[in-house]
Amino acid sequence: MSEPRANYESSTDIELVSLAQEGNTRAFDELVRRYTPKLYGMIYNMTSNREDTADLLQDVFAKAYRSLKRFMGRSSFYTWIYSISVNMTLNFLKKRGRYHKVSLDDVDTGIENDPEFIKVTTANGGTMRDVHVHELQKRLNEAMMRLSEDHRTVVTLYDIQGLQHSEISQILGVSEGTVRSRLFYAHRQLQNYLEDFIK
Amino acid sequence: MPSEDPQDLTPVQQLLRMRRNQIPDDEFIEGFLSDFKERQRSEMLRQSARGLLWERWTTYWENRAAPKWALAGVAAALVLGLGLVLIPKAVEGPMGDEVAGIESGLSSDIQADPNAAFGTEAILIMGMDPEGVVEETPMLLSRHFSGGYADEAREVKAVVKQESGQSEMSGREDEP
Protein backbone atom coordinates (compact mmCIF):
# COMPACT_ATOMS: atom_id res chain seq x y z
CA MET A 1 0.00 0.00 0.00
CA SER A 2 1.28 3.45 -0.83
CA GLU A 3 1.47 5.92 2.00
CA PRO A 4 -0.25 9.27 1.57
CA ARG A 5 1.99 12.12 0.51
CA ALA A 6 0.96 14.17 3.53
CA ASN A 7 2.99 11.81 5.72
CA TYR A 8 6.13 13.02 4.06
CA GLU A 9 5.24 16.66 3.68
CA SER A 10 5.65 17.26 7.39
CA SER A 11 8.94 15.33 7.59
CA THR A 12 12.25 17.08 7.87
CA ASP A 13 14.96 16.72 5.23
CA ILE A 14 17.01 14.45 7.49
CA GLU A 15 14.07 12.15 8.07
CA LEU A 16 13.35 11.96 4.37
CA VAL A 17 17.01 11.33 3.59
CA SER A 18 17.26 8.47 6.05
CA LEU A 19 14.05 6.94 4.70
CA ALA A 20 15.34 7.29 1.15
CA GLN A 21 18.64 5.72 2.19
CA GLU A 22 16.65 2.70 3.38
CA GLY A 23 15.12 2.44 -0.08
CA ASN A 24 11.94 4.46 0.34
CA THR A 25 11.52 6.04 -3.08
CA ARG A 26 8.52 8.10 -1.96
CA ALA A 27 10.67 9.89 0.54
CA PHE A 28 13.07 10.78 -2.25
CA ASP A 29 10.13 11.98 -4.38
CA GLU A 30 9.24 14.37 -1.59
CA LEU A 31 12.79 15.72 -1.59
CA VAL A 32 12.53 16.24 -5.36
CA ARG A 33 9.25 18.12 -4.87
CA ARG A 34 10.75 20.21 -2.12
CA TYR A 35 13.89 21.24 -3.97
CA THR A 36 12.71 21.48 -7.57
CA PRO A 37 11.46 25.11 -7.31
CA LYS A 38 14.67 26.46 -5.78
CA LEU A 39 17.05 24.43 -7.88
CA TYR A 40 15.15 25.10 -11.08
CA GLY A 41 15.42 28.83 -10.41
CA MET A 42 19.10 28.55 -9.60
CA ILE A 43 19.98 26.55 -12.72
CA TYR A 44 17.77 28.66 -14.94
CA ASN A 45 19.39 31.87 -13.79
CA MET A 46 22.79 30.34 -14.55
CA THR A 47 21.98 28.88 -17.98
CA SER A 48 19.18 31.15 -19.22
CA ASN A 49 17.77 28.24 -21.16
CA ARG A 50 14.67 26.30 -20.22
CA GLU A 51 15.49 23.00 -21.92
CA ASP A 52 18.99 22.91 -20.52
CA THR A 53 17.59 23.69 -17.08
CA ALA A 54 15.12 20.81 -17.14
CA ASP A 55 17.76 18.36 -18.39
CA LEU A 56 20.32 19.51 -15.87
CA LEU A 57 17.89 19.34 -12.99
CA GLN A 58 17.03 15.77 -13.89
CA ASP A 59 20.75 14.96 -13.94
CA VAL A 60 21.17 16.61 -10.55
CA PHE A 61 18.44 14.52 -8.91
CA ALA A 62 19.65 11.36 -10.62
CA LYS A 63 23.12 11.96 -9.25
CA ALA A 64 21.80 12.80 -5.80
CA TYR A 65 19.78 9.59 -5.80
CA ARG A 66 22.82 7.50 -6.70
CA SER A 67 25.00 9.22 -4.11
CA LEU A 68 22.42 9.29 -1.34
CA LYS A 69 23.82 6.19 0.37
CA ARG A 70 27.06 8.01 0.97
CA PHE A 71 25.45 11.16 2.31
CA MET A 72 26.62 11.18 5.92
CA GLY A 73 24.78 14.25 7.09
CA ARG A 74 27.94 16.20 7.89
CA SER A 75 26.35 19.14 6.06
CA SER A 76 22.66 19.77 5.57
CA PHE A 77 20.92 18.07 2.67
CA TYR A 78 20.12 21.56 1.44
CA THR A 79 23.83 22.50 1.16
CA TRP A 80 24.67 19.10 -0.30
CA ILE A 81 22.08 19.21 -3.10
CA TYR A 82 23.02 22.81 -3.87
CA SER A 83 26.68 21.80 -4.17
CA ILE A 84 25.77 19.08 -6.64
CA SER A 85 23.61 21.49 -8.64
CA VAL A 86 26.20 24.26 -8.75
CA ASN A 87 29.03 21.89 -9.73
CA MET A 88 27.00 20.22 -12.44
CA THR A 89 25.79 23.55 -13.79
CA LEU A 90 29.30 24.98 -13.88
CA ASN A 91 30.57 21.86 -15.66
CA PHE A 92 27.73 22.12 -18.14
CA LEU A 93 28.47 25.80 -18.79
CA LYS A 94 32.16 25.05 -19.34
CA LYS A 95 31.27 22.35 -21.86
CA ARG A 96 28.74 24.56 -23.57
CA GLY A 97 31.25 27.41 -23.73
CA ARG A 98 33.86 25.06 -25.21
CA TYR A 99 31.62 23.88 -28.03
CA HIS A 100 29.71 26.99 -28.88
CA LYS A 101 29.49 30.52 -27.67
CA VAL A 102 25.95 31.33 -26.59
CA SER A 103 24.64 34.34 -28.39
CA LEU A 104 22.56 36.75 -26.38
CA ASP A 105 19.84 36.18 -28.99
CA ASP A 106 19.68 32.52 -27.86
CA VAL A 107 19.15 33.49 -24.26
CA ASP A 108 15.55 33.14 -23.11
CA THR A 109 13.94 36.46 -22.42
CA GLY A 110 13.42 35.56 -18.79
CA ILE A 111 11.90 33.10 -16.43
CA GLU A 112 8.93 35.41 -16.05
CA ASN A 113 7.99 34.72 -19.67
CA ASP A 114 7.73 30.96 -19.27
CA PRO A 115 3.98 30.28 -19.40
CA GLU A 116 4.24 26.85 -17.76
CA PHE A 117 6.51 27.94 -15.03
CA ILE A 118 5.59 31.35 -13.90
CA LYS A 119 3.80 32.70 -11.02
CA VAL A 120 5.30 36.10 -10.74
CA THR A 121 4.33 37.86 -7.59
CA THR A 122 5.72 40.82 -5.84
CA ALA A 123 6.46 41.06 -2.17
CA ASN A 124 3.12 42.76 -1.52
CA GLY A 125 1.22 39.99 -3.29
CA GLY A 126 0.16 41.80 -6.46
CA THR A 127 1.01 40.64 -9.98
CA MET A 128 3.79 42.64 -11.58
CA ARG A 129 3.35 42.95 -15.29
CA ASP A 130 4.83 46.30 -15.98
CA VAL A 131 6.35 46.89 -19.39
CA HIS A 132 9.32 48.67 -17.91
CA VAL A 133 10.00 45.85 -15.47
CA HIS A 134 9.69 43.30 -18.27
CA GLU A 135 12.24 45.19 -20.35
CA LEU A 136 14.52 45.53 -17.35
CA GLN A 137 14.33 41.81 -16.60
CA LYS A 138 15.25 41.06 -20.19
CA ARG A 139 18.23 43.36 -19.95
CA LEU A 140 19.14 41.85 -16.61
CA ASN A 141 19.16 38.40 -18.17
CA GLU A 142 21.52 39.58 -20.88
CA ALA A 143 23.72 41.31 -18.33
CA MET A 144 23.83 38.15 -16.20
CA MET A 145 25.02 36.15 -19.19
CA ARG A 146 27.87 38.61 -19.66
CA LEU A 147 29.19 37.92 -16.18
CA SER A 148 31.75 35.20 -15.68
CA GLU A 149 30.33 31.89 -14.43
CA ASP A 150 31.83 32.39 -10.96
CA HIS A 151 30.31 35.84 -10.61
CA ARG A 152 26.96 34.74 -11.98
CA THR A 153 26.91 31.90 -9.46
CA VAL A 154 27.34 34.13 -6.42
CA VAL A 155 24.77 36.63 -7.66
CA THR A 156 22.29 33.83 -8.28
CA LEU A 157 22.87 32.21 -4.91
CA TYR A 158 22.90 35.40 -2.88
CA ASP A 159 20.49 37.79 -4.54
CA ILE A 160 18.06 35.43 -6.22
CA GLN A 161 18.19 32.35 -4.00
CA GLY A 162 18.68 34.28 -0.80
CA LEU A 163 21.51 32.17 0.60
CA GLN A 164 23.89 33.56 3.20
CA HIS A 165 27.56 34.26 2.55
CA SER A 166 28.58 31.35 4.78
CA GLU A 167 26.30 28.93 2.93
CA ILE A 168 27.60 30.08 -0.45
CA SER A 169 31.15 29.72 0.81
CA GLN A 170 30.41 26.14 1.89
CA ILE A 171 28.71 25.26 -1.39
CA LEU A 172 31.43 26.72 -3.59
CA GLY A 173 34.33 25.69 -1.37
CA VAL A 174 35.77 29.21 -1.22
CA SER A 175 36.22 31.66 1.65
CA GLU A 176 33.51 34.09 2.67
CA GLY A 177 35.85 36.93 1.70
CA THR A 178 36.00 35.56 -1.84
CA VAL A 179 32.21 35.34 -1.94
CA ARG A 180 31.89 38.96 -0.81
CA SER A 181 34.46 40.25 -3.28
CA ARG A 182 32.89 38.32 -6.18
CA LEU A 183 29.52 39.71 -5.20
CA PHE A 184 30.81 43.25 -5.03
CA TYR A 185 32.46 42.97 -8.45
CA ALA A 186 29.40 41.30 -10.00
CA HIS A 187 27.03 44.01 -8.71
CA ARG A 188 29.31 46.69 -10.11
CA GLN A 189 29.44 44.94 -13.48
CA LEU A 190 25.66 44.58 -13.59
CA GLN A 191 25.25 48.22 -12.64
CA ASN A 192 27.52 49.19 -15.53
CA TYR A 193 25.66 47.01 -18.04
CA LEU A 194 22.28 48.35 -16.93
CA GLU A 195 23.14 51.98 -16.23
CA ASP A 196 21.11 53.19 -19.21
CA PHE A 197 18.01 51.47 -17.84
CA ILE A 198 18.42 52.03 -14.13
CA LYS A 199 18.62 55.60 -12.97
CA MET B 1 19.48 35.98 5.01
CA PRO B 2 20.73 38.92 2.93
CA SER B 3 19.42 42.33 3.91
CA GLU B 4 15.67 42.57 3.27
CA ASP B 5 15.31 46.32 3.60
CA PRO B 6 14.73 47.63 0.05
CA GLN B 7 16.22 50.98 1.07
CA ASP B 8 19.60 49.33 1.56
CA LEU B 9 19.58 47.71 -1.84
CA THR B 10 20.89 49.07 -5.09
CA PRO B 11 18.49 49.12 -8.07
CA VAL B 12 20.29 46.09 -9.51
CA GLN B 13 19.83 44.14 -6.29
CA GLN B 14 16.16 45.12 -6.17
CA LEU B 15 15.73 43.87 -9.71
CA LEU B 16 17.51 40.62 -8.87
CA ARG B 17 15.35 40.06 -5.79
CA MET B 18 12.19 40.23 -7.83
CA ARG B 19 13.20 36.87 -9.22
CA ARG B 20 12.97 35.26 -5.80
CA ASN B 21 9.23 35.24 -6.12
CA GLN B 22 9.26 33.38 -9.37
CA ILE B 23 8.28 29.87 -8.37
CA PRO B 24 6.95 26.99 -10.42
CA ASP B 25 3.43 25.80 -9.69
CA ASP B 26 2.53 22.33 -8.39
CA GLU B 27 1.56 21.12 -11.84
CA PHE B 28 5.01 21.86 -13.16
CA ILE B 29 6.65 20.06 -10.23
CA GLU B 30 4.49 16.94 -10.58
CA GLY B 31 5.19 16.85 -14.31
CA PHE B 32 8.89 17.16 -13.65
CA LEU B 33 8.78 14.38 -11.05
CA SER B 34 6.99 12.01 -13.38
CA ASP B 35 9.52 12.76 -16.16
CA PHE B 36 12.32 12.11 -13.70
CA LYS B 37 10.94 8.71 -12.69
CA GLU B 38 10.38 7.72 -16.28
CA ARG B 39 13.91 8.68 -17.17
CA GLN B 40 15.33 6.72 -14.25
CA ARG B 41 13.48 3.59 -15.34
CA SER B 42 14.55 3.87 -18.96
CA GLU B 43 18.17 4.53 -17.95
CA MET B 44 18.23 1.42 -15.82
CA LEU B 45 17.15 -0.63 -18.80
CA ARG B 46 19.55 0.98 -21.21
CA GLN B 47 22.69 1.10 -19.11
CA SER B 48 25.10 -1.81 -19.47
CA ALA B 49 26.64 -3.52 -16.44
CA ARG B 50 30.00 -2.00 -17.33
CA GLY B 51 28.45 1.46 -17.60
CA LEU B 52 26.79 1.08 -14.22
CA LEU B 53 30.05 -0.05 -12.65
CA TRP B 54 31.95 2.88 -14.15
CA GLU B 55 29.30 5.33 -13.00
CA ARG B 56 29.34 3.94 -9.48
CA TRP B 57 33.12 4.14 -9.45
CA THR B 58 33.23 7.78 -10.60
CA THR B 59 30.40 8.79 -8.28
CA TYR B 60 32.20 7.12 -5.37
CA TRP B 61 35.38 9.10 -6.00
CA GLU B 62 33.54 12.33 -6.63
CA ASN B 63 32.04 12.10 -3.18
CA ARG B 64 35.34 11.51 -1.40
CA ALA B 65 36.56 14.41 0.66
CA ALA B 66 40.12 14.01 -0.68
CA PRO B 67 41.32 16.90 -2.82
CA LYS B 68 41.79 16.40 -6.54
CA TRP B 69 45.57 16.37 -6.38
CA ALA B 70 45.47 13.53 -3.85
CA LEU B 71 43.33 11.50 -6.23
CA ALA B 72 45.72 12.36 -9.04
CA GLY B 73 48.61 11.14 -6.85
CA VAL B 74 46.86 7.86 -6.14
CA ALA B 75 46.16 7.41 -9.85
CA ALA B 76 49.81 8.13 -10.71
CA ALA B 77 51.02 5.64 -8.07
CA LEU B 78 48.66 3.00 -9.48
CA VAL B 79 49.95 3.57 -13.01
CA LEU B 80 53.55 3.40 -11.77
CA GLY B 81 52.85 0.21 -9.84
CA LEU B 82 51.18 -1.38 -12.84
CA GLY B 83 54.10 -0.33 -14.99
CA LEU B 84 56.59 -1.95 -12.60
CA VAL B 85 54.62 -5.16 -12.57
CA LEU B 86 53.94 -5.32 -16.29
CA ILE B 87 57.26 -4.16 -17.80
CA PRO B 88 59.46 -7.03 -16.46
CA LYS B 89 56.80 -9.47 -17.62
CA ALA B 90 56.90 -7.94 -21.03
CA VAL B 91 60.68 -8.59 -21.28
CA GLU B 92 60.21 -12.16 -20.14
CA GLY B 93 57.28 -12.59 -22.47
CA PRO B 94 57.27 -13.52 -26.17
CA MET B 95 59.72 -10.84 -27.25
CA GLY B 96 61.96 -11.53 -24.28
CA ASP B 97 62.19 -15.20 -25.14
CA GLU B 98 63.08 -14.32 -28.68
CA VAL B 99 65.92 -12.07 -27.56
CA ALA B 100 67.16 -14.67 -25.10
CA GLY B 101 67.12 -17.35 -27.84
CA ILE B 102 69.14 -15.19 -30.15
CA GLU B 103 71.72 -14.54 -27.45
CA SER B 104 72.20 -18.19 -26.47
CA GLY B 105 72.09 -19.55 -30.01
CA LEU B 106 74.60 -17.09 -31.43
CA SER B 107 77.82 -18.41 -29.91
CA SER B 108 77.07 -22.06 -30.71
CA ASP B 109 76.12 -21.13 -34.28
CA ILE B 110 79.38 -19.33 -34.79
CA GLN B 111 81.30 -22.29 -33.52
CA ALA B 112 79.39 -24.70 -35.71
CA ASP B 113 79.33 -22.71 -38.89
CA PRO B 114 80.84 -19.24 -39.03
CA ASN B 115 79.28 -18.67 -42.47
CA ALA B 116 75.86 -19.04 -41.01
CA ALA B 117 76.60 -16.42 -38.42
CA PHE B 118 78.32 -13.83 -40.60
CA GLY B 119 76.67 -14.55 -43.94
CA THR B 120 78.26 -13.48 -47.20
CA GLU B 121 81.00 -11.45 -45.57
CA ALA B 122 82.32 -14.63 -43.94
CA ILE B 123 82.35 -16.40 -47.30
CA LEU B 124 84.28 -13.57 -48.91
CA ILE B 125 86.79 -13.40 -46.10
CA MET B 126 87.37 -17.12 -46.12
CA GLY B 127 87.63 -17.26 -49.91
CA MET B 128 90.51 -14.85 -50.01
CA ASP B 129 94.14 -15.93 -50.10
CA PRO B 130 95.87 -13.50 -47.80
CA GLU B 131 99.37 -14.34 -48.89
CA GLY B 132 98.60 -13.87 -52.56
CA VAL B 133 97.07 -10.48 -52.16
CA VAL B 134 98.72 -8.79 -49.26
CA GLU B 135 102.30 -7.68 -49.79
CA GLU B 136 104.18 -7.72 -46.62
CA THR B 137 106.74 -5.01 -46.18
CA PRO B 138 108.70 -5.41 -43.02
CA MET B 139 108.90 -2.15 -41.24
CA LEU B 140 110.85 -1.59 -38.14
CA LEU B 141 110.44 1.41 -35.99
CA SER B 142 114.12 1.39 -35.27
CA ARG B 143 114.88 2.50 -38.81
CA HIS B 144 113.60 5.94 -37.82
CA PHE B 145 116.05 6.37 -34.99
CA SER B 146 119.77 6.96 -35.22
CA GLY B 147 121.78 3.98 -34.23
CA GLY B 148 118.93 1.68 -35.08
CA TYR B 149 118.46 -0.87 -37.72
CA ALA B 150 118.27 1.66 -40.52
CA ASP B 151 121.62 3.18 -39.69
CA GLU B 152 123.21 -0.23 -39.62
CA ALA B 153 121.66 -1.01 -43.00
CA ARG B 154 122.96 2.25 -44.42
CA GLU B 155 126.43 1.52 -43.10
CA VAL B 156 126.34 -1.93 -44.64
CA LYS B 157 125.21 -0.48 -47.96
CA ALA B 158 127.98 2.13 -47.85
CA VAL B 159 130.62 -0.50 -47.16
CA VAL B 160 129.30 -2.70 -49.96
CA LYS B 161 129.30 0.27 -52.33
CA GLN B 162 132.77 1.22 -51.31
CA GLU B 163 134.06 -2.25 -51.79
CA SER B 164 132.45 -2.61 -55.18
CA GLY B 165 133.80 0.78 -56.19
CA GLN B 166 137.29 -0.18 -55.22
CA SER B 167 137.12 -3.40 -57.15
CA GLU B 168 135.92 -1.51 -60.21
CA MET B 169 138.82 0.92 -59.86
CA SER B 170 141.34 -1.84 -59.46
CA GLY B 171 139.81 -3.64 -62.41
CA ARG B 172 140.46 -0.62 -64.60
CA GLU B 173 143.90 -0.25 -63.31
CA ASP B 174 144.52 -3.87 -64.08
CA GLU B 175 143.49 -3.33 -67.66
CA PRO B 176 146.27 -3.40 -70.17
Side-chain angles (χ1 to χ4, degrees):
Chain A
M1 278 292 285
S2 62
E3 294 170 71
R5 205 196 132 193
N7 285 2
Y8 298 107
E9 273 184 290
S10 54
S11 305
T12 62
D13 282 1
I14 290 296
E15 286 166 351
L16 290 173
V17 167
S18 54
L19 284 171
Q21 282 175 329
E22 288 163 14
N24 187 331
T25 52
R26 287 185 175 275
F28 189 77
D29 290 352
E30 184 55 33
L31 287 168
V32 172
R33 279 191 198 97
R34 206 169 275 189
Y35 283 95
T36 293
K38 283 262 175 194
L39 295 180
Y40 189 99
M42 194 276 286
I43 298 172
Y44 183 84
N45 280 294
M46 298 270 289
T47 60
S48 272
N49 186 290
R50 238 167 281 142
E51 283 174 19
D52 289 344
T53 303
D55 287 347
L56 256 171
L57 191 55
Q58 293 226 355
D59 289 345
V60 167
F61 284 123
K63 188 161 196 165
Y65 187 72
R66 287 192 296 266
S67 313
L68 202 63
K69 282 263 176 199
R70 284 180 296 280
F71 175 69
M72 301 297 181
R74 280 191 289 261
S75 62
S76 63
F77 179 76
Y78 169 80
T79 314
W80 185 71
I81 195 93
Y82 258 93
S83 301
I84 294 176
S85 308
V86 168
N87 286 331
M88 288 183 76
T89 308
L90 288 174
N91 285 341
F92 168 80
L93 289 172
K94 272 178 199 148
K95 272 186 208 163
R96 190 170 77 172
R98 207 178 295 152
Y99 295 115
H100 70 279
K101 197 80 189 162
V102 178
S103 157
L104 288 177
D105 295 336
D106 300 333
V107 169
D108 289 347
T109 50
I111 205 164
E112 73 282 1
N113 295 321
D114 184 345
E116 296 166 43
F117 182 78
I118 312 191
K119 197 160 70 183
V120 185
T121 50
T122 57
N124 60 14
T127 306
M128 195 130 184
R129 279 287 176 190
D130 185 72
V131 177
H132 183 61
V133 171
H134 171 79
E135 182 62 22
L136 271 179
Q137 288 289 352
K138 192 181 163 196
R139 297 288 165 195
L140 180 64
N141 239 23
E142 289 173 3
M144 286 279 281
M145 291 310 286
R146 286 183 184 172
L147 291 177
S148 77
E149 283 144 15
D150 288 339
H151 291 103
R152 204 185 312 153
T153 308
V154 289
V155 167
T156 304
L157 294 177
Y158 182 81
D159 291 305
I160 302 173
Q161 300 279 296
L163 270 64
Q164 291 178 17
H165 291 112
S166 59
E167 288 172 322
I168 300 170
S169 135
Q170 210 181 337
I171 289 165
L172 298 179
V174 296
S175 70
E176 277 191 49
T178 306
V179 172
R180 283 173 199 278
S181 75
R182 281 183 190 172
L183 207 49
F184 174 78
Y185 180 83
H187 284 160
R188 207 175 55 183
Q189 289 284 100
L190 288 174
Q191 189 77 39
N192 289 342
Y193 293 140
L194 298 168
E195 64 184 348
D196 293 341
F197 301 92
I198 300 171
K199 300 286 178 196
Chain B
M1 288 286 282
S3 169
E4 292 300 323
D5 187 359
Q7 298 301 314
D8 297 343
L9 302 174
T10 63
V12 167
Q13 281 177 296
Q14 286 178 18
L15 203 56
L16 286 165
R17 286 197 189 192
M18 284 171 71
R19 293 190 174 200
R20 276 191 200 176
N21 303 308
Q22 299 166 345
I23 51 162
D25 55 24
D26 289 345
E27 202 180 321
F28 176 89
I29 295 170
E30 289 305 320
F32 176 81
L33 185 59
S34 104
D35 287 350
F36 173 65
K37 285 178 179 173
E38 200 175 308
R39 189 185 133 163
Q40 268 191 317
R41 278 204 301 271
S42 68
E43 268 183 6
M44 279 177 78
L45 289 173
R46 270 185 295 148
Q47 214 160 16
S48 66
R50 196 187 292 173
L52 276 170
L53 192 70
W54 173 250
E55 198 187 297
R56 276 173 181 268
W57 170 258
T58 49
T59 310
Y60 175 82
W61 283 107
E62 273 176 21
N63 287 287
R64 297 285 96 187
K68 279 181 183 173
W69 58 264
L71 293 179
V74 170
L78 275 173
V79 169
L80 196 70
L82 271 174
L84 286 172
V85 171
L86 292 176
I87 288 171
K89 279 189 179 170
V91 172
E92 286 163 15
M95 278 301 288
D97 292 345
E98 210 171 290
V99 172
I102 290 167
E103 278 176 2
S104 61
L106 199 60
S107 56
S108 57
D109 283 350
I110 293 166
Q111 282 168 4
D113 183 7
N115 288 347
F118 295 108
T120 50
E121 283 180 22
I123 294 163
L124 287 171
I125 291 164
M126 291 184 77
M128 285 173 73
D129 180 9
E131 287 180 11
V133 178
V134 182
E135 193 181 330
E136 272 187 34
T137 47
M139 193 177 110
L140 293 170
L141 280 173
S142 59
R143 74 163 64 160
H144 301 289
F145 304 101
S146 62
Y149 166 77
D151 293 342
E152 284 168 18
R154 264 197 298 275
E155 278 168 20
V156 171
K157 275 184 183 173
V159 170
V160 171
K161 217 173 184 177
Q162 214 172 5
E163 281 175 2
S164 62
Q166 277 174 359
S167 63
E168 275 176 26
M169 288 278 284
S170 62
R172 277 182 206 146
E173 282 171 9
D174 292 343
E175 275 181 352

